[in-house]
Amino acid sequence: MIPEDVLEWMIGMPEDRFIADVHERAPRVHAAGDRGRFDPLLTLPRLNERIAELDLRAGMIELANARQPVPRADYVQGDFIDRVAVARGYRQGATIVFNQLQHSDRRMAAFCRRLERVFSCHIQTNTYLTPPAEQGFRTHYDSHDVFILQITGSKDWRLYGDPEDAPFRGERFQGMTRPAGEPAMTFTLNPGDGAYIPRGYYHDAVNSGDAPSLHITVGLIVRTWADLMLEAVSQVCLAEPEFRRALPPGYAGAGAGADRTAMAATFAQLTATLADRVRMGAALDTITETFIRSREPDLTDSLIDSRIDPEGHYVARPSLLTVKQTETEVRVVAPGCEFNFGRAPLSLITRILDGTPFRVTDLDHAEALDVLGRLMTAGLIERQAAPAG
């Protein structure tokens, strides 16, 4: 069971304090002193079961060794992972990297959904199993913030000063462009310990014990102010025809070509139009709804409990969603779906989704069964046991 205050559980700091004081500002290490702290999320035996059970396709598992690269051809045959080759690579010192385990593990998926509600961004997980005294990656930085959750064994970490300033999303580390210098921060993560490393910090880590080291790296794949600005600008450009006119013929040619002075005047006019017309609201709505729809729905028990019992007890699952009243309907945008209710009032829908337990008979509206059934199909509502007494 993942605690509601997930950041307190991960790094010993409440959500509001972390966002106000630490997020994108500085690393943080939390030595919890609770070796089984993250067992509800993952254990080494459970990971071993997942590796044995899953249909492992190319990209789901990779091997990494700081001493020498491990060619993918060594453990990928066509579209499939060669399990024996993976085990052999591990014995030879390679770290096994299990990519995006949240797509195939229910507990990890629930954990990521909880963090998505905190950060309003895509959450990805990579799980690393490193042999004793080995190192998976050389010194590098990530283009996204990460949390480190140590499950089993220990790892020594080194963080270096003078980080890269907000590297952009999707930027791949291309090797050291300058010396990392001396470590500015060193720490050891033991089972149950957690850490936060903002993007751009050069770092490396080595298994410091005589047992396998298993940790989860949780990545925050955020949307930036640049994304919001580009969406706002694009909406103006779609609405205003002058932005869609062709650039002057010959603008790229040598010699006479296009008149750059005239182009500069037009550019200035368009810039002024942008300054006058650009608005945050609609752009933020678009980004918000696109993000929510792209989330994976939680369909736990949605088929088993598909029949609605008017006397049964129900409650909305915590979820990212938006509810808006338009001129003709109520619109609900939720993970993986969108609903338009033309007959049900806003008060009924907000009552169902406000997190307070209810029975169908409590709702007292002709559209209650239809609304409840559609929202249950999307995993937004779950059945509860009857309260005691």
Side-chain angles (χ1 to χ4, degrees), residues 312-373:
H313 293 77
Y314 298 89
V315 68
R317 284 191 176 120
S319 178
L320 288 166
L321 54 84
T322 63
V323 181
K324 289 187 177 181
Q325 175 77 66
T326 71
E327 292 183 0
T328 58
E329 61 193 8
V330 179
R331 185 162 168 265
V332 177
V333 176
C337 61
E338 177 180 325
F339 294 105
N340 296 289
F341 297 100
R343 295 187 300 272
L346 177 64
S347 59
L348 172 65
I349 295 166
T350 54
R351 171 65 184 86
I352 292 174
L353 292 172
D354 69 7
T356 305
F358 62 87
R359 295 182 304 172
V360 179
T361 52
D362 298 334
L363 302 175
D364 191 27
H365 195 281
E367 295 297 319
L369 282 174
D370 176 67
V371 173
L372 183 57

Side-chain angles (χ1 to χ4, degrees), residues 159-242:
L159 272 60
Y160 301 86
D162 192 21
E164 299 291 331
D165 190 6
F168 58 84
R169 182 176 65 249
E171 177 182 339
R172 295 186 62 86
F173 180 75
Q174 301 293 333
M176 301 294 291
T177 58
R178 54 181 170 80
E182 293 299 315
M185 182 177 184
T186 62
F187 55 91
T188 298
L189 293 184
N190 296 306
D193 294 345
Y196 165 75
I197 304 175
R199 56 183 162 154
Y201 271 82
Y202 286 92
H203 61 274
D204 51 48
V206 61
N207 185 339
S208 56
D210 56 6
S213 168
L214 176 64
H215 81 264
I216 302 170
T217 294
V218 183
L220 308 184
I221 313 302
V222 300
R223 301 300 295 269
T224 67
W225 283 101
D227 296 319
L228 180 59
M229 294 297 296
L230 289 171
E231 177 61 35
V233 168
S234 70
Q235 291 186 359
V236 174
C237 294
L238 288 173
E240 303 294 336
E242 59 263 35

